[in-house]
């Protein structure tokens, strides 16, 4: 047992792994992380699957079978990725049962090319839930403007959702609103609200990467002193918004119907700047009722030398506001930064998906049986 990870878990932070591959499943590594490193969930995204499938490790037989059936490359990718998610969900099922559905979750994302189409996102979310067919799946829907009504509709149908690519406080509030609206629809439809779960993936490190670059361009001592502070401030104010929304009157009515709070999930928690401590976006974002999804390097770093010193969010809100205001006073537009990051986030996932399409298509062609 690792003391830092146990302490983190004891503080009310759910530790999820931001990675998945067939090798991780079949080797027993995922089960080991659950058993020894307090991992209670898994997140995936198009970049993770692109890396896993392109490595070829463990996928050749399924690819050969799919090639023999002459399936389309899109169908092949969905068969492969949903198989991995299904197997990971089965490994995590005891955690799901023990936590009454809160953890033991595995996320799978809708096709990122659909990020700006509400109807297509809803249809894809329903299809993925049906394909994976495990109660401990979360369907990832991006928090684009088109994604917001899709979140409401999908939650309203009783499908649990991981809302991804949240960068701004304004958009985060819109996401919570979409979730509550979905619960209200589900309640009207007579669904059991206790079975519907959601997390809101608030991205962290990319905020520092972009704002630090702009602070460097300003170049003053005042600007340099603010480096590495914006991402934590942004996330901490998101938690303040979470506390406010889930203690309000609208929530109280849903709480009586046994609804679950939509937990904030800290995503993009691997440090991009080597000048910062590699556990920064873990140990400085500790508060009850949160999820932290970590790449394995960040998980290992936290286990090895993370110092968890209790709640590091509540009580910091005034300081966080002051830090973001100080950045704004230097002429750095918060709205511009968060919109750029959302646009880039969608583009990066689309690029990874397109790379995955190309590499999988090449493998299907290579493994296609020659006609006699």
């Amino acid at each position: 047992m690792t003391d830092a990870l146990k302490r983190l878990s004891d503080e009310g932070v759910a530790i999820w792994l931001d990675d998945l591959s067939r090798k991780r499943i079949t080797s027993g590594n995922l089960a080991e992380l659950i058993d020894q490193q307090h991992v209670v969930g898994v997140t995936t995204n198009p970049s993770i699957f692109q890396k896993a499938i392109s490595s070829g490790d463990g996928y050749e037989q399924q690819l050969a079978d799919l090639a023999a059936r002459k399936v389309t490359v899109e169908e092949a990718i969905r068969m492969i990725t949903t198989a991995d998610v299904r197997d990971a969900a089965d490994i995590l099922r005891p955690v799901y049962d023990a936590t009454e559905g809160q953890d033991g979750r595995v996320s799978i994302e809708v096709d990122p090319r659909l990020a700006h189409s509400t109807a297509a996102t809803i249809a894809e979310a329903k299809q993925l839930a049906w394909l994976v067919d495990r109660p401990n799946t979360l369907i990832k829907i991006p928090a684009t403007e088109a994604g917001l009504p899709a979140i409401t509709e999908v939650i309203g149908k009783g499908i649990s959702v991981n809302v991804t690519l949240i960068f701004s406080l304004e958009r985060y509030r819109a996401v919570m609103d979409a979730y509550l609206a979905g619960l209200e629809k589900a309640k009207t439809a007579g669904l059991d609200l206790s079975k519907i779960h959601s997390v809101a993936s608030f991205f962290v490190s990319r905020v520092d990467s972009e704002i630090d670059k702009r602070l460097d361009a300003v170049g003053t001592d005042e600007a340099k002193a603010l480096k590495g502070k914006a991402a934590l401030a942004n996330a901490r104010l998101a938690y303040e918004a979470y506390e406010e929304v889930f203690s309000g009157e609208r929530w109280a009515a849903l709480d009586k119907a046994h609804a679950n709070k939509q937990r904030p999930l800290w995503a993009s928690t691997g440090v991009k700047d080597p000048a910062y401590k590699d556990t920064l976006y873990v140990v400085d974002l500790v508060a009850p009722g949160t999820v932290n999804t970590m790449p394995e390097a960040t998980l290992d770093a936290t286990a090895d030398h993370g110092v968890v010193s209790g709640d590091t969010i509540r009580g910091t809100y005034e300081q966080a506001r002051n830090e973001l205001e100080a950045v704004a006073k230097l002429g750095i537009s918060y709205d511009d930064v968060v919109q750029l990051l959302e646009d880039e986030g969608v583009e990066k996932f689309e690029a990874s998906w397109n790379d995955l399409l190309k590499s999988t298509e090449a493998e299907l062609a290579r493994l296609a049986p020659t006609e006699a």
Side-chain angles (χ1 to χ4, degrees):
M1 290 294 182
T2 310
D3 286 344
L5 294 175
K6 183 180 187 304
R7 180 74 192 276
L8 197 63
S9 184
D10 289 345
E11 289 290 341
V13 179
I15 300 166
W16 291 8
L17 177 71
D18 193 27
D19 191 56
L20 187 64
S21 67
R22 190 152 298 176
K23 185 178 181 183
R24 198 181 282 285
I25 292 165
T26 57
S27 68
N29 173 262
L30 177 58
E32 190 176 279
L33 291 174
I34 295 163
D35 184 50
Q36 298 179 14
Q37 301 282 62
H38 300 274
V39 169
V40 293
V42 166
T43 49
T44 69
N45 61 45
S47 300
I48 285 169
F49 278 128
Q50 192 271 330
K51 182 181 171 188
I53 297 170
S54 298
S55 75
D57 208 340
Y59 295 99
E60 183 133 331
Q61 184 57 60
Q62 188 178 11
L63 280 163
D65 291 344
L66 292 165
R69 288 174 50 212
K70 298 180 181 178
V71 303
T72 65
V73 64
E74 281 89 354
E75 185 183 350
I77 288 169
R78 276 307 180 213
M79 291 299 103
I80 292 166
T81 57
T82 54
D84 280 359
V85 168
R86 190 180 307 113
D87 288 344
D90 288 344
I91 293 168
L92 278 154
R93 184 60 188 262
V95 177
Y96 169 84
D97 291 337
T99 60
E100 297 184 336
Q102 181 166 258
D103 289 307
R105 295 276 176 176
V106 186
S107 299
I108 184 168
E109 190 150 346
V110 298
D111 184 333
R113 296 172 299 178
L114 309 178
H116 301 297
S117 169
T118 301
T121 295
I122 294 166
E124 171 94 339
K126 287 158 60 180
Q127 171 77 353
L128 283 174
W130 177 82
L131 271 174
V132 177
D133 193 27
R134 293 295 185 272
N136 50 331
T137 310
L138 290 172
I139 306 303
K140 285 179 89 172
I141 296 175
T144 55
E145 286 187 13
L148 294 172
I151 293 158
T152 296
E153 191 66 25
V154 172
I155 289 289
K157 292 183 182 302
I159 297 170
S160 294
V161 171
N162 176 345
V163 183
T164 189
L165 289 176
I166 308 170
F167 295 95
S168 83
L169 295 166
E170 182 183 6
R171 185 58 57 85
Y172 177 45
R173 285 184 178 275
V175 165
M176 290 188 283
D177 183 72
Y179 174 62
L180 295 179
L183 288 176
E184 287 158 356
K185 285 190 78 159
K187 184 181 175 186
T188 300
L191 299 182
D192 181 354
L193 300 193
S194 72
K195 303 292 186 189
I196 304 170
H197 288 260
S198 184
V199 293
S201 295
F202 199 88
F203 279 52
V204 186
S205 68
R206 296 185 197 181
V207 173
D208 270 343
S209 296
E210 184 59 33
I211 288 182
D212 283 359
K213 186 167 66 177
R214 299 184 187 206
L215 290 168
D216 280 335
V218 174
T220 63
D221 289 344
E222 183 188 6
K224 289 174 183 173
L226 287 167
K227 287 184 66 176
K229 294 185 175 177
L232 290 176
N234 199 38
R236 286 165 171 171
L237 292 176
Y239 190 82
E240 181 187 39
Y242 157 77
E243 286 189 305
E244 181 189 314
V245 169
F246 289 100
S247 61
E249 286 183 22
R250 188 178 181 192
W251 168 248
L254 292 163
D255 189 32
K256 284 179 186 172
H258 310 293
N260 298 292
K261 293 179 180 178
Q262 182 186 53
R263 290 182 293 170
L265 178 151
W266 311 129
S268 182
T269 56
V271 172
K272 305 286 194 291
D273 187 333
Y276 302 151
K277 65 183 179 185
D278 51 6
T279 60
L280 179 67
Y281 303 126
V282 178
V283 300
D284 286 278
L285 287 176
V286 176
T290 58
V291 180
N292 195 308
T293 188
M294 309 177 208
E296 191 167 22
T298 304
L299 181 75
D300 290 344
T302 305
D304 181 63
H305 52 264
V307 179
V308 180
S309 54
D311 189 329
T312 49
I313 293 181
R314 291 181 295 187
T316 67
Y317 303 143
E318 187 178 351
Q319 178 191 345
R321 258 186 289 279
N322 290 340
E323 285 166 348
L324 288 186
E325 284 170 11
V327 169
K329 283 175 184 172
L330 293 173
I332 296 170
S333 167
Y334 176 86
D335 290 343
D336 181 62
V337 167
V338 294
Q339 188 58 57
L340 174 71
L341 290 172
E342 180 185 307
D343 293 343
E344 285 183 350
V346 173
E347 286 167 12
K348 283 175 184 174
F349 282 169
E350 276 188 23
S352 294
W353 196 259
N354 288 329
D355 287 345
L356 180 55
L357 286 169
K358 287 174 193 169
S359 58
T360 304
E361 194 165 40
E363 282 296 283
L364 291 171
R366 182 179 71 83
L367 294 166
T370 53
E371 298 296 335

